[in-house]
Amino acid sequence: MTKQSHNTVRQSMQERIETGEWALGGLIPGEIELAEEYGCARTTINRALQALADAGMLVRKRKGGTRVCNMPVRQAKFSIPVVREQVEAMGSQYRHRVLVNTKTTPPTSIATRLNISDSDKALYIETVHLADDRPFAFESRWINLKAVPNIVDAPFKDISVNEWLIRSVPFSNGDVIFSAINADEKIADCIEAESGTAVFVVDRTTWYKEEYITTLKLYYKPGFQLYTRF
Amino acid sequence: MTKQSHNTVRQSMQERIETGEWALGGLIPGEIELAEEYGCARTTINRALQALADAGMLVRKRKGGTRVCNMPVRQAKFSIPVVREQVEAMGSQYRHRVLVNTKTTPPTSIATRLNISDSDKALYIETVHLADDRPFAFESRWINLKAVPNIVDAPFKDISVNEWLIRSVPFSNGDVIFSAINADEKIADCIEAESGTAVFVVDRTTWYKEEYITTLKLYYKPGFQLYTRF
DNA sequence: TAGTGGTCTAGACCACTCA
DNA sequence: GAGTGGTCTAGACCACTAT
């Protein structure tokens, strides 16, 4: 073979795994050997192998060599949903309405999550996200004022709370919990559903460098689906 | 600075983004310039920049240079859930019970998904996944017999259908849809819940090289949560 | 301790795309 | 056409870990 890109090599190796030429859990040749076989530099082989390891297909160990993963679990990458983009992706017009925006002391469960004391005040905001002026999702959010004190001056008419935060604290970390609940009356009312309807819930908490920023729950309208590919 | 690993460089650059030194949507220095600044080879800088671009923090274009992403959307990677591992991760003992296992003609919606004709038979399997002998999830699965004909001989006493497929067709592609529904009577019965309870649903279809393998729906017991981090 | 992957370098050429 | 990122190479040294 002549001139191989790391991509071509990777695909070739992926096929060797898929066809079983390289058995599940089995050891595969070392980098130098593969470099000779493919007729390219070891660096190129290394890059291809690392990509496959990153995808969860290979497990690599110094001295131990490279093995095909014996319990192949595919991983999927997905973007943390931004409601406005979800709405616009459907071809609908996005708008939002702020129902509540107050500074108040949060319940203990929230205070714990934001790592603030029970007596500290936090910003509580309720928002309804609309798609073509029909309810799409209801958002209930608490914000740690110590983390982003200047948020109180921000007007949320044109820009949503979420997008303000994204711009203000651009690359935070966080966790996400997906679940399903039966809508209580309040939620049902906000998303124009009947009480008791199954609702898809996204519970998200974000932080930046040991400091908690915000925690929110998103209740999507009935029938909502979250799609991913792997 | 002396001897920088690509990791150190990456972290340094990540901070410059987070602190706003490199503004959202702004152009950052070119690779050669950064290489001089950090005192390392361009290859090393390239690697760090590619990692950040991969994480969605940077957007790179030939000739156009590298810019900080102006609408930062964090991405999360998560493993396609394998029920047995979910159960064992909770410290419970996993078992499963096969309720139905028949060869039959699928409804049109399923036939379409598996890309087979309406008259073709497919394998239909219903399974209840148990955690410490209590229902954890109910699985309703269709399998394309043309894709994996030898599955009919497989005994699903020790190993679940899913794990048999994973080993047989180890690195398939697929899509996943998360949603919430109200349990009908049958589902409610299988997961020991009341009819109408909100249930978390995972709908998954997998294929390998243009051929559809299987499509399934997983109905989790009430209170189930799917956790991810970003 | 020896063997494997992990990383870095300096230099080169290519491919894309903006002006 | 010129400038940027994308990729490859050959060689070197380091770090981990299985034996």
Side-chain angles (χ1 to χ4, degrees), chain A residues 4-6 39-44 47 61-64:
Chain A
Q4 297 269 352
S5 78
H6 67 100
C40 62
R42 182 168 82 93
T43 317
T44 305
R47 193 166 172 182
K61 265 187 204 159
R62 282 159 161 150
K63 168 75 179 176

Side-chain angles (χ1 to χ4, degrees), chain A residues 104-167:
Chain A
T104 176
T105 51
T108 311
S109 64
I110 300 294
T112 307
R113 273 221 197 179
L114 293 178
N115 196 29
I116 59 179
S117 99
D118 278 27
S119 52
D120 281 337
K121 294 207 169 186
L123 192 62
Y124 178 65
I125 297 179
E126 285 185 0
T127 312
V128 176
H129 299 275
L130 305 164
D132 291 334
D133 291 323
R134 302 264 305 166
F136 179 75
F138 169 65
E139 175 183 313
S140 159
R141 179 193 292 265
W142 288 90
I143 297 166
N144 181 1
L145 286 168
K146 286 183 180 168
V148 280
N150 50 335
I151 197 173
V152 288
D153 304 325
F156 296 123
K157 284 174 186 165
D158 299 330
I159 190 175
S160 75
V161 192
N162 187 38
E163 294 186 39
W164 188 93
L165 282 170
I166 283 179
R167 291 206 146 76

Side-chain angles (χ1 to χ4, degrees), chain A residues 164-184:
Chain A
W164 188 93
L165 282 170
I166 283 179
R167 291 206 146 76
S168 179
V169 192
F171 295 101
S172 52
N173 291 103
D175 55 28
V176 194
I177 299 170
F178 300 111
S179 60
I181 62 157
N182 292 98
D184 61 25

Side-chain angles (χ1 to χ4, degrees), chain A residues 90 135-136 181 191-194 197-201 219-227, chain B residues 177-182 199 201:
Chain A
M90 305 184 311
F136 179 75
I181 62 157
I191 57 175
E192 282 183 10
E194 280 185 40
T197 307
V199 170
F200 188 81
V201 186
Y219 304 89
Y220 285 91
K221 68 162 193 212
F224 173 79
Q225 298 186 324
L226 189 63
Y227 177 89
Chain B
I177 299 170
F178 301 111
S179 60
I181 62 156
N182 292 97
V199 170
V201 187

